[in-house]
Amino acid sequence: MSIKKILAVCAAMAVVGAFADEAETESEIDYGPKSYGWTCVALGVATPVQLPWGLNKWDVFGLDLNLGYSDAPRMYGWQFALGANTARKDFGGLATAIGFNYSAKDAYGLDLALFNLNSLEFYGLGVDAFSKNNAFYGVSADLLGNFTEKEFVGFEVAGLANVNNGDMYGVQAAIVANLTRRVHGLSVACIYNQTDLLWGCQIGLVNMAFKCDHGFQIGLINVIMDNQVPFLPIVNGYFN
């Protein structure tokens, strides 16, 4: 076999190996640790001190009740703990805890705790003191506030502030402030609203938009930086 053929075979084997490693990595990310099986009821003090026994190894389709900490790969039903709840794969249902609820993948249902943390997408109702989400679709009610990394769609209300690092579609209301990268809808705050792009309406004591393609502001101080008239009291809006 010629040197060129040998090099070609080696290159092909290297490419196949790289794709295999990548597929294995993606598989681990997508599916996580393999479950022992599934159960309708998981009861205990704190995972893994529970029946059935096993640290984050049992999918639960029903009730997961632990006094301290509940941890399951897949959880569909009611997950309750005085401390915290964790769903490492999919979650659907009701998660209640005094401490926090955490979902590593997509979650659907109701999250009720002091802190709600969702790594991917959450669909439903979140009630808490503070929440952090990658993307949220539904209603978020936060005593202090919430932070959304990519996209929020629905209604969010906070005692202090709503912070969205991406797009907000819907309605947001806060006692102190709304800080959102791009607003598509209504933003209401008693003190301060700020956005890079406004497509809708801001209502507050002070409203700040760096760009407003379609929309207006109502407040004591209204600023649209790219407008022909950047500052107007009471009402400011988009002007060609």
Side-chain angles (χ1 to χ4, degrees):
M1 182 180 291
S2 65
I3 296 177
K4 289 184 178 180
K5 290 183 179 180
I6 293 174
L7 293 175
V9 171
C10 292
M13 293 177 64
V15 170
V16 171
F19 277 113
D21 291 341
E22 182 179 355
E24 183 178 355
T25 301
E26 290 179 354
S27 177
E28 291 174 356
I29 293 174
D30 288 342
Y31 302 105
K34 185 178 180 180
S35 302
Y36 289 152
W38 64 272
T39 178
C40 293
V41 178
L43 301 174
V45 178
T47 306
V49 185
Q50 67 176 34
L51 294 175
W53 183 272
L55 176 62
N56 62 47
K57 289 293 187 178
W58 291 93
D59 296 331
V60 180
F61 299 88
L63 175 64
D64 187 356
L65 176 62
N66 275 282
L67 294 179
Y69 173 60
S70 291
D71 189 347
R74 290 185 177 88
M75 176 66 220
Y76 294 94
W78 181 24
Q79 190 175 30
F80 173 85
L82 296 178
N85 293 311
T86 296
R88 297 182 179 273
K89 295 182 181 179
D90 301 324
F91 175 83
L94 171 63
T96 56
I98 294 178
F100 69 87
N101 296 313
Y102 171 72
S103 298
K105 297 190 69 175
D106 294 345
Y108 303 82
L110 169 62
D111 270 0
L112 177 61
L114 286 176
F115 303 95
N116 288 317
L117 308 173
N118 297 287
S119 292
L120 293 183
E121 297 179 349
F122 180 83
Y123 300 82
L125 171 63
V127 180
D128 49 63
F130 174 79
S131 65
K132 182 181 183 298
N133 306 281
N134 185 58
F136 191 100
Y137 304 90
V139 178
S140 179
D142 308 275
L143 181 62
L144 299 177
N146 75 83
F147 175 81
T148 304
E149 179 63 37
K150 291 185 177 179
E151 181 179 70
F152 186 95
V153 179
F155 174 67
E156 57 181 347
V157 57
L160 293 180
N162 295 305
V163 179
N164 296 286
N165 201 34
D167 294 277
M168 191 286 294
Y169 297 88
V171 179
Q172 57 182 184
I175 294 177
V176 178
N178 291 310
L179 307 173
T180 300
R181 182 67 59 85
R182 291 173 293 270
V183 172
H184 307 265
L186 175 63
S187 181
V188 181
C190 294
I191 298 177
Y192 184 65
N193 290 303
Q194 178 178 312
T195 183
D196 289 351
L197 175 64
L198 177 61
W199 281 56
C201 176
Q202 288 179 322
I203 301 176
L205 185 65
V206 179
N207 299 302
M208 175 72 180
F210 290 92
K211 185 177 180 181
C212 178
D213 290 346
H214 304 280
F216 61 96
Q217 302 167 321
I218 299 175
L220 182 63
I221 299 175
N222 303 298
V223 179
I224 299 176
M225 294 300 295
D226 72 332
N227 210 0
Q228 293 183 2
V229 183
F231 166 73
L232 280 176
I234 312 304
V235 178
N236 196 4
Y238 169 76
F239 301 108
N240 286 318

